[in-house]
């Protein structure tokens, strides 16, 4: 069966990836804080998953989502970047607008 669902546009895909990256970064901070405050397990007791393990997993997710954002930006055409930036409203501080503008400037600098 053929997938007939419409493809998400660049703006929406970036928005999702950046939000997921931010959530993973927040989780990393929480788990890292828990790991610092956690008591050592009793002798002979070995916890299945520690806050340190969870922090490491969250950090890996941040890296994965950063790679996804970079791949989306680098794989987009100049026209897609410009269209997505226009869709963002170019709002200063908006993470998608900032990422798009950074990629546009990077490409202009290498031309």
């Amino acid at each position: 069966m053929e997938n007939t669902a419409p493809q998400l546009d660049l703006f929406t895909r970036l928005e999702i990836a950046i939000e997921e990256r931010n959530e993973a970064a927040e989780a990393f901070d929480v788990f890292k804080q828990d790991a610092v405050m956690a008591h050592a397990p009793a002798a002979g007791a070995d916890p299945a998953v520690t806050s340190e393990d969870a922090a490491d997993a969250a950090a890996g997710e941040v890296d994965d989502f950063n790679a996804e954002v970079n791949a989306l930006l680098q794989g987009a055409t100049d026209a897609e970047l410009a269209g997505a930036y226009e869709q963002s409203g170019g709002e200063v501080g908006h993470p998608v607008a900032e990422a798009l503008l950074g990629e546009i400037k990077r490409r202009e600098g290498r031309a």
Side-chain angles (χ1 to χ4, degrees):
M1 178 173 203
E2 187 177 328
N3 184 359
T4 58
Q7 283 282 56
L8 296 175
D9 60 19
L10 177 61
F11 176 83
T12 303
R13 291 182 301 170
L14 281 169
E15 195 169 43
I16 291 168
I18 289 172
E19 180 60 29
E20 290 173 326
R21 179 197 64 196
N22 292 346
E23 288 176 1
E26 287 175 16
F28 171 79
D29 290 340
V30 169
F31 292 132
K32 202 64 173 166
Q33 181 181 7
D34 287 349
V36 169
M37 295 176 11
H39 298 286
D46 197 17
V49 177
T50 66
S51 290
E52 189 75 32
D53 295 332
D56 290 344
E61 285 185 0
V62 171
D63 292 343
D64 291 346
F65 289 123
N66 273 334
E68 182 180 347
V69 168
N70 288 333
L72 286 168
L73 290 169
Q74 292 172 7
T77 65
D78 291 347
E80 288 174 321
L81 289 174
Y85 184 71
E86 186 176 310
Q87 189 178 353
S88 77
E91 182 181 333
V92 174
H94 187 283
V96 176
E98 296 285 337
L100 289 162
L101 184 59
E103 179 63 13
I104 290 167
K105 286 183 176 182
R106 186 188 70 78
R107 289 184 186 190
E108 288 174 352
R110 84 173 178 206

